[in-house]
């Protein structure tokens, strides 16, 4: 999953005071995110590509009022002399 930005009803009320969000609000947010992840995994089952879980998790997070960022693809170049051997 991508980075989750906490901007729920708990975090909004916590922004009144200067400093970090109260620990109990952060704990509730974490517990809610974990519950949503378990819900997605139970609904889809094991063995799918990560992109399927990511898509459904993002939808669930959005429905629950969380702001989130999707993963960005990372590309890299292999050296020209790099070879890949398959043993089978």
């Amino acid at each position: 999953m991508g980075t989750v930005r906490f901007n729920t009803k708990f975090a909004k009320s916590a922004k009144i005071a200067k400093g970090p969000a109260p620990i109990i609000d952060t704990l509730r947010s974490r517990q809610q995110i974990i519950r949503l992840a378990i819900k997605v995994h139970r609904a889809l089952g094991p063995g799918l590509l990560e992109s399927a879980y990511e898509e459904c998790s993002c939808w669930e997070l959005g429905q629950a009022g969380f702001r989130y960022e999707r993963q960005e693809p990372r590309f890299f170049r292999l050296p020209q002399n790099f070879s890949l051997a398959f043993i089978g």
Side-chain angles (χ1 to χ4, degrees), residues 72-83:
E72 294 181 17
R74 301 286 180 193
F75 299 102
F76 58 93
R77 285 198 145 149
L78 296 174
Q80 289 182 353
N81 59 355
F82 183 81
S83 64

Side-chain angles (χ1 to χ4, degrees), residues 31-87:
Q31 289 172 338
Q32 189 176 5
I33 290 168
I34 291 169
R35 273 191 234 111
L36 292 173
I38 291 170
K39 177 181 174 183
V40 167
H41 186 70
R42 284 184 179 159
L44 298 179
L48 297 176
L49 293 176
E50 181 182 353
S51 59
Y53 296 107
E54 180 183 4
E55 184 71 31
C56 293
S57 296
C58 288
W59 187 85
E60 288 288 344
L61 287 169
Q63 292 297 310
F66 287 97
R67 291 179 51 200
Y68 58 87
E69 292 180 3
R70 307 269 319 223
Q71 294 184 78
E72 294 181 17
R74 301 286 180 193
F75 299 102
F76 58 93
R77 285 198 145 149
L78 296 174
Q80 289 182 353
N81 59 355
F82 183 81
S83 64
L84 186 61
F86 292 99
I87 301 173

